[in-house]
Coordinates of all heavy atoms in Angstrom, one line a residue:
R987 N -74.0 317.7 187.6 CA -74.0 316.4 188.2 C -75.0 315.5 187.5 O -74.8 314.3 187.2 CB -74.4 316.5 189.7 CG -74.6 315.2 190.4 CD -73.3 314.4 190.5 NE -72.3 315.0 191.3 CZ -71.1 314.4 191.5 NH1 -70.7 313.3 190.9 NH2 -70.2 315.0 192.3
E988 N -76.2 316.0 187.1 CA -77.2 315.3 186.4 C -76.7 314.8 185.1 O -76.9 313.7 184.6 CB -78.5 316.1 186.3 CG -79.2 316.4 187.6 CD -80.3 317.4 187.4 OE1 -80.4 318.1 186.3 OE2 -81.2 317.5 188.3
H995 N -74.7 306.5 182.9 CA -75.8 305.4 182.6 C -75.7 305.1 181.1 O -76.0 303.9 180.7 CB -77.2 306.0 182.9 CG -77.3 306.1 184.4 ND1 -78.0 307.1 185.0 CD2 -76.9 305.3 185.5 CE1 -78.0 307.0 186.3 NE2 -77.3 305.8 186.6
T1001 N -66.5 303.2 178.5 CA -65.6 304.4 178.6 C -65.8 305.4 177.5 O -66.1 305.1 176.4 CB -64.1 303.9 178.5 OG1 -63.8 302.9 179.5 CG2 -63.1 305.0 178.6
V1093 N -66.6 307.1 171.5 CA -65.3 307.7 171.1 C -65.6 309.1 170.4 O -66.5 309.2 169.5 CB -64.5 306.8 170.1 CG1 -63.2 307.6 169.7 CG2 -64.3 305.5 170.7
A1108 N -66.1 302.6 164.1 CA -67.5 302.5 164.1 C -68.1 301.1 164.4 O -69.1 301.0 165.0 CB -68.1 303.1 162.8
P1127 N -62.2 327.9 147.4 CA -61.8 326.7 146.6 C -60.9 325.8 147.5 O -61.0 324.6 147.4 CB -61.1 327.3 145.4 CG -61.7 328.6 145.2 CD -62.1 329.1 146.5
P1168 N -65.5 325.5 172.6 CA -64.5 325.0 173.6 C -64.7 325.8 174.9 O -65.6 326.7 175.0 CB -63.2 325.3 173.0 CG -63.5 325.6 171.5 CD -64.8 326.1 171.5
C1178 N -55.8 330.4 186.7 CA -56.0 330.6 188.2 C -55.6 332.0 188.6 O -54.7 332.6 187.9 CB -55.4 329.6 189.0 SG -53.6 329.6 189.0
G1201 N -33.3 341.3 190.7 CA -33.5 340.1 191.4 C -34.0 338.9 190.4 O -34.4 339.2 189.3
S1224 N -34.8 339.9 172.3 CA -35.1 341.3 172.6 C -33.8 342.0 172.6 O -32.7 341.5 172.7 CB -35.8 341.4 173.9 OG -35.0 341.2 175.0
S1354 N -59.6 339.8 165.8 CA -60.2 339.8 164.4 C -61.6 339.3 164.4 O -61.9 338.3 165.1 CB -59.3 339.0 163.4 OG -58.0 339.5 163.4
G1399 N -63.2 345.0 180.7 CA -62.7 343.8 181.3 C -63.6 343.1 182.2 O -63.7 341.9 182.3

Side-chain angles (χ1 to χ4, degrees):
R987 175 64 69 181
E988 291 172 346
H995 291 141
T1001 297
V1093 180
C1178 68
S1224 70
S1354 300

